[in-house]
Amino acid sequence: MMDIHQILKQLPHRYPFLLVDRVLELDKGKRIKALKNVTINEPFFTGHFPHRPVMPGVLMLEAMAQVAALLAFDMQGVTPDDKTVYYFAGIDGARFKRPVEPGDQLIMEVTLDRLKAGVFKFKGTTHVDGKMACEAELMCTMRSIA
């Protein structure tokens, strides 16, 4: 559905903070499914933890938020520019079910729950090998900057 080149046109994030490699499915205005390949070369693994590398849970949440941004931009038919920023507005019910390690592939599914007063509310899950690794409700908003 969307390769890394198309993702780079939509998201302002760059290495080491771009956490989406490919969009697998996109149901306009409803849901999106994307993946992130987790490799030992990720910069956070050198300190989290050197003896047993584990992807920080907050980065799984960030990855889901980036996937949610792709859904929001597609839904509104916009390509963000230097004057548009997509912010986290809140996280509810975040739960981490299993560690994510180098070699894992995150499959993230995000569905739009509602859009009210410019605030998007999404439900997101992340799976590895068919097993849930993370789930949360994400709230995000787009803002213009000067």
Side-chain angles (χ1 to χ4, degrees):
M1 288 290 321
M2 193 180 292
D3 65 19
I4 191 63
H5 305 289
Q6 294 162 306
I7 292 168
L8 287 167
K9 289 177 184 174
Q10 291 293 310
L11 294 179
H13 306 79
R14 294 296 178 262
Y15 178 84
F17 223 69
L18 180 62
L19 300 172
V20 183
D21 292 326
R22 181 176 300 276
V23 172
L24 304 171
E25 298 173 15
L26 180 60
D27 188 0
K28 192 174 190 80
K30 295 180 183 175
R31 63 177 283 282
I32 188 170
K33 184 176 183 179
L35 72 83
K36 159 78 176 137
N37 293 306
V38 182
T39 72
I40 192 62
N41 296 323
E42 307 285 350
F44 50 79
F45 282 138
T46 58
H48 198 265
F49 303 98
H51 63 285
R52 182 69 183 214
V54 175
M55 183 177 189
V58 295
L59 292 182
M60 285 188 269
L61 294 171
E62 173 63 27
M64 284 194 296
Q66 290 179 20
V67 172
L70 291 168
L71 178 59
F73 293 141
D74 180 75
M75 182 176 122
Q76 295 191 326
V78 298
T79 298
D81 54 28
D82 291 341
K83 296 181 182 182
T84 305
V85 179
Y86 189 76
Y87 289 118
F88 248 139
I91 303 168
D92 290 326
R95 298 289 179 266
F96 305 98
K97 307 291 187 173
R98 70 175 299 268
V100 173
E101 301 176 318
D104 285 344
Q105 186 175 69
L106 301 180
I107 303 295
M108 299 166 283
E109 293 189 56
V110 175
T111 57
L112 178 65
D113 191 32
R114 74 172 188 252
L115 171 57
K116 184 177 179 183
V119 177
F120 295 83
K121 186 171 183 181
F122 301 98
K123 290 185 181 175
T125 60
T126 297
H127 290 81
V128 174
D129 293 329
K131 297 176 184 161
M132 187 174 300
C134 175
E135 65 181 339
E137 292 179 357
L138 312 168
M139 286 156 283
C140 306
T141 188
M142 281 185 257
R143 295 287 184 248
S144 294
I145 55 175

